[in-house]
Amino acid sequence: MLTAFLWKGVDSIKNGIKVCWNEMRKPIKQGGLGLPNLANWNKALLFKYIWHIALKKESLCIAWVHTVKLKNKCFWSISLRQSCSLVWHKLLQIRPIIQPFIVSVIK
């Protein structure tokens, strides 16, 4: 009910106002609300997560990914299956975009 009031002005109206997100993302000085571009923000967080997977960062979550999801396979070469979770699907789907920026050094 509170969100309905905030977006519509009253809680009984079914259709809310149309929001121009480009205007909302403008800086406050330019008349916007200064909200970040959430699509780019989400992509950056997915890139960071892939970076942690590639580096095998020491965390429980990354260890779980390597043990359960990857099972000693390479993150860059595993196939995308329809039965995977939404987050895992997005991570695998975005690989072609980030892969040119990942460099592997063999020692």
Side-chain angles (χ1 to χ4, degrees):
M1 182 168 18
L2 181 59
T3 55
F5 177 76
L6 289 173
W7 285 102
K8 302 171 191 168
V10 293
D11 62 350
S12 60
I13 298 174
K14 291 192 183 232
N15 294 332
I17 60 171
K18 302 292 183 199
V19 176
C20 182
W21 289 105
N22 289 331
E23 294 294 319
M24 303 279 275
R25 287 194 299 261
K26 283 184 179 178
I28 294 172
K29 291 181 180 180
Q30 295 178 5
L33 294 179
L35 298 176
N37 183 327
L38 296 180
N40 289 342
W41 191 266
N42 186 49
K43 202 177 289 187
L45 291 175
L46 288 173
F47 286 176
K48 183 177 180 180
Y49 196 61
I50 290 172
W51 181 253
H52 288 172
I53 291 171
L55 292 178
K56 294 185 179 178
K57 184 174 170 110
E58 289 187 33
S59 78
L60 184 58
C61 183
I62 300 301
W64 179 84
V65 166
H66 281 280
T67 304
V68 175
K69 291 291 191 181
L70 294 177
K71 298 177 184 172
N72 295 324
K73 295 178 187 168
C74 177
F75 174 76
W76 305 106
S77 62
I78 60 173
S79 61
L80 178 61
R81 294 179 293 163
Q82 295 299 328
S83 62
C84 61
S85 71
L86 178 64
V87 173
W88 189 245
H89 185 84
K90 290 290 182 185
L91 286 170
L92 296 181
Q93 197 175 34
I94 206 166
R95 288 181 298 183
I97 298 170
I98 194 174
Q99 195 168 13
F101 301 104
I102 303 290
V103 177
S104 179
V105 177
I106 300 172
K107 294 182 180 182

